[in-house]
Amino acid sequence: MTTGRRGRLTVYFGAAPGVGKTYAMLDEALRRCARGTDVVIGLVETHGRAATIAKIGDLEMVPRRLVEHRGSTLTELDVQAVLERAPDVALVDELAHTNAPGSEHAKRWQDVHDLLDAGIDVVTTVNVQHLASLTDDVEAITGVRQRETVPDQVVRDADQIQLVDLSPEQLRRRLAHGNVYRAEQIDASLSSYFRVGNLTALRELALLWLADRVDDALTRYRADHAIGGTWPARERIVVAVTGGPETETLLRRAARIAQRAAGTELLAVHVLPTDGLPSTPPATIAAHRALAESLGGTFHTVVGEDVPSAVVDFARGVNATMMVVGVSRHPVWRQALLGSSSAEIARLSGAIDVHLVTHEQARGGVRASRYSSLSPKRRIAGWLTAVLIPVLLTLVLVLFGRDEENLPSHLMIYLAGVVAVALVGGLWPALVTSLVSFALLNWFFTEPTGVLTIDQPEDVVALVVFLLVAGSVASVVDLAARRTTQAYRARAEASTLAALSRSVLSGEDTAQAIVQRLAQTFAMTDVRLEARADDRAAWTVVAHERRATEAGSGAAPAGVGKTRAGAAGSVEVGAGEDGTVTEVAIDDRHRLVLAGRVLPASDRQVVEAFGAQAGIVLEHRRLREQAAQAEVLERTENTRTALLAAVSHDLRTPLAVIRTAVDGLASPDVELDREDRDVLTATIADSTYRLERLIGNLLDLSRLQTGAVRPTLRAASLEEVVPIAVEPWLSDLVLDVPEDLPLVHTDPGLFERVVANVVSNAVRHSPPGAKVLFTASAARDSLELRVADSGPGVPDDRKATMFEPFQRLDDTSAGGLGLGLAVASGLADAVGARIAAEDTPGGGLTMVLTVPREASLDSEPGDGMVQ
């Protein structure tokens, strides 16, 4: 055996029990033995099948490991024995098996990894129903929840997977012939798990899962060998998503095409410009992503300067067989001059089929928006400068430098004016400036002047070139200005949304954080996050942020709460006293209401993103509250379960003793002398006291868990507490409590219960005849009470849990429910005291009670007070 390498894993994979995986594994083992390979059987489950037992033949078997569990002897793979035997190949059946308690690993596949790490090749078996990712699907098909599973990646990482396949009819015949189960199990199996429908569905699951694994291997092979062409080994449909209104039509049409062949993958791809700035609102892209995923596909975003090339490159990269593209929305004249993306994709597609889909927007002349984010003042200034700058330049040149020979210089001056207008007002004012400049240059500076005619051909060329250059420069300057604005806006939006995301992860009150950030970011006077129980219920405010206006009014906007219903993600606008009221519907039961200035369209997109974030925040809060409620319910249920498990004995014992004693006293058939009656009476009294303390502890624990304990803290002396608390155990105590100790700040009644429970616990666990030492001493700001016993003590690893309910020193103790210390700890917390456990020198346990002094609270008002 070679120890310098990791072993190879071969998996025989089947759709159901009985298809012949183990038999095929043994067949391979015999072939390897015939070739001289050292093969041993680590573990093979024959299930009593004669053919499988016969197939083992002379193969060497490593003895199994015996495990005792609940009175039964179980057999497991002996990993250490296989490692010591060190074969070339080991057979290990049933990879998903769960090992018996006490094994080194919980799962058999972990044992297999140990063998592989040692350089031993392993051949194993597994059924599709045992793959972890398919557990829910298998349960939906068969109605049986698989308890034994193996992570998919363990099987995927196998060096070789062999499919062992039988048709449902063949498998049912094998079952009917008794080749799978015993005769008494055949009828039940055929009518339940091994129905034709179940087997067909499981077989399809197995084939599809294995096809995915084969497809991964094919992808790696193509990448390793730099194969760029498409290999149509599996149907994959790529949908080119523009973000326009036709996207939904394209996705649904592609999904219908994908449904025609089982196993077809649907991939939607959206191309971003190389500057990374989205040309489609993020909310729209998010909606398209959700639609693609709801149709069973995946959504991908790529960056590319040339959209058709980016789409085709993506399709080739995923080995697509078809691309679904929408017909161009641009008018015919534009397609004739500039072409269309769909035609270019078809030209570049090569061996990939292209499916063109028509839609309502096709050739509708939909023009890309050229809306600039300039303010109204900038737009007005742009149009004014578009007229004034050419006129002023002409006036200056006519008065100071009119010379028809300097036309090139004049052209450069006017071109500078066009650039200035583009920077101020954008593209269209700059184009108007170039046209006005063209006319003025023709009128004043080209021969003959004063008319719109030109004598010199070179002047005609100069003016035409000027017009083209001016238009081009204006377009470039406008595009650069808009991209810069978009970049600043995108950075600000990303920063704001990132801050919100951090607030979600940090767990702060993010609903309030959202409305505050909305009010600050968009300069709104009033922002509310509202919710309602159902469609007919009134809106209630979840979070509210009100910013002071110039008038100082604190009134809520009149429009809030009187708005129209809208679809999720929609933005609706109304009027209110504080200005325009804008709504963002998060979902059917939540909305954002903003009052103040009118929001431009670009800001509304960000508000929608805020709305989506608010939805995540609300869902996060709801899940967090549910988790907290579930935790409380779980604790309560655990307490109830433990109580029911323990109370059956600990309540019944004193009741049985009382009943027996009372029957003895009341029986007319038994003559009792005075001594016997005193004994029975004392027994009744002792059992009644035990029962009273047990019920008292249960009630105290219930009050603590429900928060019903409300202490009354005041100055008190230990003389009010200690004598009453220790009275039942005075004969078992050694008291050392000085009389000059200062007052403490506590609830005397509740603190007496704390001391009583601690002392009771110490006496109960002390050896017979041993005394418990009770001492008290004063510190700078507290009093310390120490109760030391000489009992068995408590291990360090149990000291952290000994104050929880139902904790005992051992499982057989009949001294109570284990509530005393839990009640003592809870009551100590309620009255401002602390309780801790220490080891007693020489053996035993010392409980340390620390209670604050009255004087220390006088110097620190409010410390330890309970309202």
Side-chain angles (χ1 to χ4, degrees), residues 351-372:
I352 306 175
D353 295 338
V354 177
H355 188 93
L356 286 178
V357 178
T358 187
H359 46 84
E360 293 182 358
Q361 289 75 26
R363 298 186 181 180
V366 179
R367 180 170 54 85
S369 173
R370 300 288 295 179
Y371 172 72
S372 178

Side-chain angles (χ1 to χ4, degrees), residues 285-475:
I285 296 298
H288 293 162
R289 180 186 297 274
L291 176 60
E293 293 173 352
S294 69
L295 294 173
T298 56
F299 193 94
H300 307 266
T301 301
V302 298
V303 177
E305 182 66 33
D306 182 60
V307 173
S309 297
V311 171
V312 174
D313 289 344
F314 174 82
R316 286 178 178 155
V318 298
N319 203 24
T321 56
M322 177 184 293
M323 289 183 288
V324 175
V325 183
V327 176
S328 177
R329 295 177 291 166
H330 298 302
V332 176
W333 65 265
R334 177 165 178 174
Q335 295 184 47
L337 292 175
L338 303 177
S340 66
S341 296
S342 56
E344 185 66 9
I345 288 174
R347 188 184 68 83
L348 297 173
S349 61
I352 306 175
D353 295 338
V354 177
H355 188 93
L356 286 178
V357 178
T358 187
H359 46 84
E360 293 182 358
Q361 289 75 26
R363 298 186 181 180
V366 179
R367 180 170 54 85
S369 173
R370 300 288 295 179
Y371 172 72
S372 178
S373 58
L374 298 176
S375 64
K377 292 182 178 179
R378 285 278 300 276
R379 291 197 293 271
I380 294 174
W383 286 110
L384 289 175
T385 55
V387 177
L388 292 178
I389 283 184
V391 173
L392 291 176
L393 289 176
T394 302
L395 182 61
V396 171
L397 291 175
V398 169
L399 292 179
F400 300 101
R402 178 169 180 172
D403 186 355
E404 290 78 1
E405 299 298 329
N406 291 329
L407 181 60
S409 301
H410 297 163
L411 291 175
M412 296 303 296
I413 293 173
Y414 278 99
L415 185 59
V418 172
V419 173
V421 173
L423 290 173
V424 174
L427 175 62
W428 294 109
L431 291 178
V432 171
T433 301
S434 64
L435 292 174
V436 174
S437 300
F438 177 86
L440 293 175
L441 283 166
N442 188 3
W443 186 273
F444 289 101
F445 302 105
T446 59
E447 294 293 342
T449 59
V451 293
L452 295 177
T453 60
I454 305 173
D455 287 343
Q456 302 297 326
E458 58 271 19
D459 292 343
V460 176
V461 174
L463 289 176
V464 171
V465 170
F466 164 79
L467 188 61
L468 295 175
V469 171
S472 301
V473 169
S475 178

Side-chain angles (χ1 to χ4, degrees), residues 649-678:
H649 176 272
D650 291 275
L651 280 179
R652 187 167 54 209
T653 299
L655 287 175
V657 171
I658 293 172
R659 176 64 183 270
T660 301
V662 170
D663 288 344
L665 290 172
S667 175
D669 300 330
V670 179
E671 298 240 354
L672 299 174
D673 56 23
R674 183 175 183 83
E675 184 179 354
D676 291 335
R677 288 181 175 275
D678 290 342

Side-chain angles (χ1 to χ4, degrees), residues 434-622:
S434 64
L435 292 174
V436 174
S437 300
F438 177 86
L440 293 175
L441 283 166
N442 188 3
W443 186 273
F444 289 101
F445 302 105
T446 59
E447 294 293 342
T449 59
V451 293
L452 295 177
T453 60
I454 305 173
D455 287 343
Q456 302 297 326
E458 58 271 19
D459 292 343
V460 176
V461 174
L463 289 176
V464 171
V465 170
F466 164 79
L467 188 61
L468 295 175
V469 171
S472 301
V473 169
S475 178
V476 170
V477 171
D478 174 68
L479 178 61
R482 286 190 294 110
R483 289 301 190 188
T484 302
T485 302
Q486 291 174 3
Y488 280 124
R489 176 178 292 278
R491 185 172 64 182
E493 294 170 3
S495 176
T496 302
L497 293 177
L500 285 175
S501 299
R502 284 194 299 271
S503 66
V504 172
L505 295 175
S506 64
E508 64 186 55
D509 187 7
T510 47
Q512 186 63 33
I514 282 180
V515 295
Q516 289 177 351
R517 197 171 294 275
L518 272 172
Q520 296 169 2
T521 303
F522 299 102
M524 306 302 289
T525 58
D526 192 283
V527 179
R528 296 189 180 200
L529 177 60
E530 299 181 343
R532 60 181 177 182
D534 52 56
D535 294 342
R536 298 183 179 180
W539 292 100
T540 59
V541 177
V542 177
H544 182 209
E545 177 69 11
R546 174 76 177 180
R547 301 182 70 201
T549 60
E550 293 181 0
S553 172
V560 174
K562 300 180 181 180
T563 49
R564 301 175 299 278
S570 64
V571 180
E572 299 189 10
V573 179
E577 292 179 359
D578 286 347
T580 302
V581 177
T582 304
E583 292 181 26
V584 176
I586 300 171
D587 51 40
D588 293 338
R589 298 187 178 182
H590 299 90
R591 69 179 182 183
L592 283 169
V593 182
L594 303 89
R597 67 187 182 90
V598 179
L599 290 176
S602 56
D603 283 350
R604 293 180 187 177
Q605 295 174 8
V606 185
V607 171
E608 291 182 4
F610 269 98
Q613 186 75 22
I616 297 174
V617 167
L618 294 173
E619 181 68 11
H620 177 78
R621 173 188 286 183
R622 184 184 66 82

